[in-house]
Amino acid sequence: MKSHCQVVVIGGGVVGCSVLYHLTKLGWTDVVLVERDELTSGSSWHAAGGFHTLNGDPNVAQLQSYTVSLYKELEEISGQSCSLHLTGGVMLADTPERMDFLRLAQAKGRYLGMDLELISVAEAKTMFPLLDEKHFIGALWDPVEGHLDPSGTTHAYAKAARINGAEIYRHTKVEDLVQTPDGTWDVITSKGRIHAEHVVNAGGLWARECGRMVGLELPVLAMEHMYLLTEEMPEVTAHNAETGKELIGILDFAGEIYTRQEGKGILLGTYEQACKPWSPKETPWDFGHELLAPDIDRIARELEIGFSHFPALQDAGIKQIINGPFTFAPDGNPLVGPVRGLRNYWVACGVMAGFSQGGGVGLTLANWMIDGDPGYDIWGMDVARYGDWATLAYTNAKVQENYRRRFRIRFPNEELPAARPHQTTPLYDRFLAQGAVMGDSWGLETPLWFAAEGQEARDIVSFHRSNDFEAIGAECRTVRDSVGITEIANFAKYEITGPGALAFLDRMMTNAMPKVGRIILTPMLNERGKIIGDFTIARAGEDHFYMFGSSQAEVYHMRWFERHLPDDGSVTIRPINLGWAGLSIAGPNARKVLEKVAGSDVSNAAFRFMDFREMDIANAPCKVNRISYTGDLGYEIWMTPEYERQVYEALMQAGEEFGIRNFGMRALLSLRLEKNFGTWFREFRPIYGPYEAGLGRFVKLNKPDFIGKDAALKELNEGPDRLRVAFDVKANGADVLGDEPVWHKDKVVGWVTSGGYAHHAGKSLAQGYVPADLAAVTAEDAFEIEILGHRRKATILTEPPFDPEAERMRM
């Protein structure tokens, strides 16, 4: 066994072997994998082995497509068969809502080049004659779906990695991980010590334990998962004989089951409601190539529906019941990437769909380790999407909820209840008393909208405009006509201090830093010139700055900032998190409200647009930005939590004569659409450059240097290939949600990033990206946007529908 190497990968399942293979494929060959038992000894060996390319996140779907396309390459390199069965598969819908979901899935697939087809139930039955047509109303056909041999595929990754120079040590348990003063690692194993520059935790069922060795509590939980194998069925053999084909894969939403052919019988699995966690606190190290005791009673409800929907199964004998543990993250997506605060410690775990996602996970992690960037937009899989708030108990509750909902629709206005409320502000009870419908904003309870008097404060979930529509409209109109107030505690907040603070921020950001008492808006780029952040920065002193951004990306951004901090200690950056609460007032009467409670002059001359001030509000020490995401006259008011109720009550009392009212996050997002303002994770992501995203005015190329400058200059000189545009859409009761295809002359040319109904403008609006040459096509109805299976006429807007001259913000 080697005593030194560049990388140690921990875990010999499909994910660990994929990481190992991709590292060697990209040129790092001094790499080893250590496995406490045999390869596949965790979850991989008993997996059902299905694969598909569909995913709710199009960026993850791209990586799943890569994974599926990789298998032929692995077979050729390794000489090991993956036993691929590319049968295709069908999703069956039993309700109009589930048909809407299939229409959305088909539309998302269009701009990804996926050949998805909506088919009739009769057509589905010809491919899977076991189904009873009366239970369904439609289906979605995906030709790139099938199954493989989990063990053979894992060994194909391993053999290909060995051929490329990697070494694999079986029966070698990792007992401890010790980081040395220079940031490298001593991997203590049952067979000796390996010194490595990098460590990859691909521990699967033991990922938590490998994380705890370095003080990390990863948000993963293993769940028992059952599927059964039938004896030989005459219906299966008859179909094979008549068509020369296998039965296709089936996903049945109503039954919450999946099926496919296995041998001459059927494999049937379910994500049952009566689900059961496995080893929720600690994973036993002696667990290996073994299964858990079957508990068919636990899946009886789902089997009953399955037998009804596929009657032939009632008469089939059950050959075997497989019950084994699989790990999940709270949202069901993998945890991938470097861990904040741990140099050269990487994770690749929580990969529940290992044979759909394992290749993409291995590729992106290898890219990241070697090039410093994953090469794809993998925010949906990044371990940094979770913070310390994702505790063990929170994770366990959310994973069970996600497991139960595996084959259920997530409506765009649906808030999930498990582990809530988790984090709250001092105004939580006040908002509930005023009819707030709350949402979960990365663990924090945030008001979404406020029910009118006599209206029930709950969402009716739908893909169409729902019961919140009128209430949100009233909130928007109050802001535009007078003044509204909203809580903004869910913004990320940072304090940057020290003699090197100015130089540090100048290096990190594209914009020039503000003068003392002023604010700037700025993107942040990676080395490839792609947007990895969008911030407001206020300067409180010569060496003292406050910065505001997206709360969901706080850990992601802190990881980046800490990676680039100077070694001399001249800069300190502190995430404030819920150490500050925040309120925003906005609308033409906002100043009149503020001046009643402010201890300072807030006239337009004394407190200009884009000014920052520290002042007393209702006798409480506050920090105030004269800016608003509504695009209206407005102020962001920040205070420590003990003052929030006091400041809120004072503002509400001061605004009573102006008809002040609460508005929630949904109204705020509606108002920003009228200004064509983009938002992080939608319009601004690591696949877009600043010029194509419409942020070029915030890029100061006359600065000596900033990260991504060369790439940004190249983008400017060559011209972006695509541009962010805004559309006026002729919608009909349903607005865009995001990821819909944009059509031009019967061809898909782009995609929607976000949108909705703009209540003040009275328009259905969308933002998205189209080729740069088409961005100038402003003729009415020149485009179409596909909404729930219908192509709706759309027109590119040449200016924001609200206040195109930006006079209201400056009034």
Side-chain angles (χ1 to χ4, degrees):
M1 187 172 76
K2 285 186 174 182
S3 60
H4 294 74
C5 66
Q6 192 169 10
V7 183
V8 169
V9 179
I10 304 170
V14 64
V15 175
C17 291
S18 173
V19 171
L20 190 73
Y21 166 69
H22 281 93
L23 286 170
T24 64
K25 182 179 180 179
L26 297 178
W28 281 15
T29 57
D30 185 18
V31 294
V32 304
L33 182 148
V34 291
E35 163 56 44
R36 66 183 182 92
D37 199 336
E38 295 286 353
L39 298 184
T40 78
S41 289
S43 297
S44 295
W45 76 273
H46 60 72
F51 60 81
H52 56 274
T53 56
L54 276 172
N55 189 282
D57 183 335
N59 298 285
V60 176
Q62 282 186 303
L63 292 172
Q64 291 184 186
S65 180
Y66 165 78
T67 300
V68 175
S69 69
L70 180 65
Y71 290 134
K72 287 293 185 184
E73 173 185 318
L74 286 176
E75 289 183 327
E76 291 171 2
I77 294 172
S78 68
Q80 168 73 48
S81 171
C82 296
S83 190
L84 289 173
H85 297 254
L86 191 63
T87 62
V90 158
M91 290 184 176
L92 292 168
D94 63 313
T95 66
E97 291 78 16
R98 285 176 174 138
M99 275 306 302
D100 280 343
F101 176 81
L102 297 186
R103 293 183 185 102
L104 285 168
Q106 182 193 33
K108 285 182 181 181
R110 290 195 199 280
Y111 69 82
L112 295 174
M114 298 171 67
D115 186 22
L116 306 177
E117 182 184 357
L118 287 171
I119 62 174
S120 68
V121 180
E123 290 173 298
K125 186 175 177 64
T126 63
M127 294 182 279
F128 196 85
L130 280 65
L131 72 84
D132 185 345
E133 295 177 67
K134 70 183 179 188
H135 298 289
F136 307 103
I137 62 173
L140 181 68
W141 162 249
D142 178 6
V144 186
E145 189 171 315
H147 58 97
L148 45 67
D149 171 25
S151 180
T153 301
T154 304
H155 281 277
Y157 276 117
K159 289 182 178 180
R162 282 195 187 103
I163 290 169
N164 288 345
E167 295 187 17
I168 295 175
Y169 307 136
R170 297 172 300 133
H171 303 287
T172 306
K173 178 189 172 189
V174 173
E175 297 178 335
D176 200 5
L177 297 169
V178 179
Q179 191 158 37
T180 61
D182 66 357
T184 57
W185 293 91
D186 282 336
V187 182
I188 314 300
T189 81
S190 58
K191 294 184 178 178
R193 180 189 307 252
I194 307 174
H195 186 75
E197 184 179 346
H198 299 266
V199 169
V200 178
N201 177 357
L205 294 175
W206 295 269
R208 283 180 311 187
E209 280 64 34
C210 293
R212 288 166 182 165
M213 291 176 184
V214 297
L216 176 67
E217 189 65 42
L218 285 167
V220 292
L221 172 69
M223 299 292 295
E224 294 191 15
H225 180 68
M226 276 184 283
Y227 63 87
L228 57 85
L229 304 174
T230 74
E231 302 282 0
E232 180 177 331
M233 295 178 61
E235 296 85 355
V236 174
T237 56
H239 175 82
N240 298 158
E242 290 169 12
T243 66
K245 297 179 180 179
E246 277 188 75
L247 288 170
I248 62 170
I250 290 288
L251 191 159
D252 175 8
F253 286 110
E256 298 179 308
I257 58 179
Y258 60 91
T259 71
R260 66 165 175 83
Q261 183 171 335
E262 175 69 17
K264 296 180 180 180
I266 290 291
L267 179 152
L268 184 150
T270 179
Y271 287 83
E272 70 279 7
Q273 294 302 296
C275 62
K276 184 179 178 181
W278 180 75
S279 294
K281 292 186 178 179
E282 293 181 344
T283 305
W285 285 104
D286 59 355
F287 185 80
H289 264 88
E290 54 199 278
L291 294 171
L292 308 176
D295 184 4
I296 199 165
D297 289 342
R298 203 171 74 233
I299 62 174
R301 170 188 170 275
E302 288 76 16
L303 290 181
E304 183 178 350
I305 299 173
F307 292 159
S308 171
H309 290 184
F310 310 101
L313 291 173
Q314 298 181 51
D315 301 321
I318 297 177
K319 181 169 62 176
Q320 187 178 9
I321 299 175
I322 308 293
N323 185 19
F326 289 88
T327 55
F328 297 75
D331 61 2
N333 274 343
L335 300 173
V336 180
V339 174
R340 178 195 166 198
L342 290 173
R343 181 179 171 186
N344 290 350
Y345 182 92
W346 308 79
V347 297
C349 56
V351 189
M352 181 276 302
F355 296 96
S356 293
Q357 299 174 340
V361 167
L363 173 66
T364 54
L365 192 66
N367 283 339
W368 215 335
M369 295 173 70
I370 294 170
D371 299 330
D373 186 274
Y376 293 81
D377 181 359
I378 67 158
W379 168 250
M381 301 194 300
D382 196 324
V383 65
R385 69 189 186 275
Y386 290 106
D388 292 341
W389 50 268
T391 60
L392 179 64
Y394 172 92
T395 296
N396 289 357
K398 295 304 283 188
V399 166
Q400 290 179 66
E401 178 183 62
N402 178 271
Y403 183 97
R404 292 187 186 101
R405 296 182 55 88
R406 175 69 177 158
F407 291 153
R408 295 197 173 186
I409 296 169
R410 176 74 182 269
F411 290 93
N413 64 333
E414 184 173 13
E415 294 291 324
L416 304 183
R420 293 180 59 195
H422 190 51
Q423 299 178 92
T424 60
T425 72
L427 293 178
Y428 176 69
D429 60 333
R430 289 284 287 114
F431 289 143
L432 289 179
Q434 296 177 83
V437 176
M438 306 297 287
D440 177 5
S441 179
W442 301 92
L444 176 66
E445 295 294 313
T446 300
L448 299 176
W449 61 282
F450 290 82
E453 188 174 349
Q455 182 183 14
E456 186 179 1
R458 73 177 184 92
D459 278 315
I460 297 175
V461 296
S462 176
F463 290 115
H464 301 258
R465 294 172 191 163
S466 191
N467 62 317
D468 61 352
F469 188 78
E470 294 300 330
I472 294 171
E475 293 172 20
C476 292
R477 288 185 288 273
T478 297
V479 172
R480 292 293 187 232
D481 296 341
S482 184
V483 60
I485 184 169
T486 191
E487 188 176 51
I488 51 173
N490 63 332
F491 287 22
K493 291 84 66 179
Y494 311 83
E495 183 178 31
I496 305 98
T497 56
L502 174 61
F504 171 73
L505 288 172
D506 250 339
R507 166 86 173 137
M508 301 301 292
M509 307 296 168
T510 65
N511 205 346
M513 289 302 105
K515 296 178 180 179
V516 175
R518 293 289 287 166
I519 298 167
I520 57 108
L521 305 176
T522 180
M524 180 168 70
L525 309 181
N526 60 19
E527 290 90 348
R528 297 184 298 117
K530 302 302 183 183
I531 301 168
I532 57 170
D534 173 44
F535 298 99
T536 300
I537 297 179
R539 191 170 187 179
E542 287 299 323
D543 301 321
H544 191 181
F545 298 83
Y546 295 110
M547 183 166 64
F548 307 87
S550 171
S551 62
Q552 66 196 52
E554 181 184 292
V555 178
Y556 173 86
H557 286 141
M558 281 301 300
R559 182 178 65 191
W560 180 260
F561 295 143
E562 289 171 352
R563 172 181 162 188
H564 291 90
L565 281 174
D567 295 330
D568 59 8
S570 62
V571 181
T572 299
I573 181 165
R574 176 178 71 95
I576 298 170
N577 203 285
L578 293 179
W580 285 3
L583 297 166
S584 175
I585 56 173
N589 287 320
R591 182 183 292 111
K592 294 177 182 178
V593 173
L594 186 62
E595 63 189 6
K596 285 187 172 188
V597 297
S600 304
D601 183 0
V602 294
S603 66
N604 198 30
F607 195 12
R608 301 165 296 165
F609 175 59
M610 300 292 282
D611 269 355
F612 165 82
R613 294 288 183 272
E614 296 185 82
M615 65 176 75
D616 289 350
I617 305 293
N619 303 322
C622 297
K623 295 168 176 59
V624 186
N625 297 329
R626 195 187 146 182
I627 193 172
S628 172
Y629 195 43
T630 65
D632 219 313
L633 170 65
Y635 305 86
E636 295 176 350
I637 305 167
W638 303 97
M639 72 293 292
T640 50
E642 64 267 26
Y643 294 113
E644 189 184 24
R645 289 180 79 102
Q646 174 180 331
V647 173
Y648 174 77
E649 298 294 353
L651 290 168
M652 290 295 281
Q653 185 176 349
E656 188 173 358
E657 68 172 289
F658 306 107
I660 194 171
R661 67 182 292 168
N662 296 299
F663 68 101
M665 189 57 57
R666 289 180 185 167
L668 180 63
L669 293 175
S670 172
L671 293 165
R672 66 99 184 176
L673 286 173
E674 298 179 334
K675 289 292 295 176
N676 294 353
F677 289 165
T679 187
W680 169 251
F681 185 59
R682 282 298 181 180
E683 285 71 44
F684 310 140
R685 295 182 68 137
I687 54 175
Y688 305 124
Y691 294 99
E692 61 186 359
L695 298 178
R697 65 189 184 280
F698 302 119
V699 179
K700 306 303 181 186
L701 292 171
N702 58 348
K703 288 171 55 175
D705 195 22
F706 58 83
I707 295 173
K709 180 180 178 180
D710 291 344
L713 182 60
K714 181 180 179 182
E715 182 191 356
L716 175 65
N717 290 337
E718 295 181 357
D721 294 329
R722 57 194 173 192
L723 288 171
R724 176 169 68 96
V725 296
F727 292 98
D728 181 354
V729 187
K730 290 181 176 174
N732 183 21
D735 305 294
V736 300
L737 304 172
D739 299 323
E740 292 89 351
V742 177
W743 295 75
H744 178 67
K745 295 183 177 179
D746 286 328
K747 180 182 178 182
V748 173
V749 297
W751 58 90
V752 168
T753 50
S754 70
Y757 193 80
H759 290 269
H760 179 263
K763 296 176 180 291
S764 184
L765 300 178
Q767 293 189 39
Y769 284 85
V770 299
D773 59 328
L774 293 181
V777 179
T778 58
E780 186 173 0
D781 297 343
F783 295 85
E784 293 173 307
I785 295 176
E786 187 173 346
I787 303 176
L788 297 178
H790 300 281
R791 285 158 59 174
R792 305 295 184 187
K793 299 292 185 182
T795 304
I796 288 181
L797 296 171
T798 58
E799 62 183 20
F802 173 73
D803 190 26
E805 301 300 322
E807 295 172 348
R808 287 276 285 262
M809 294 187 290
R810 296 173 169 81
M811 64 186 290

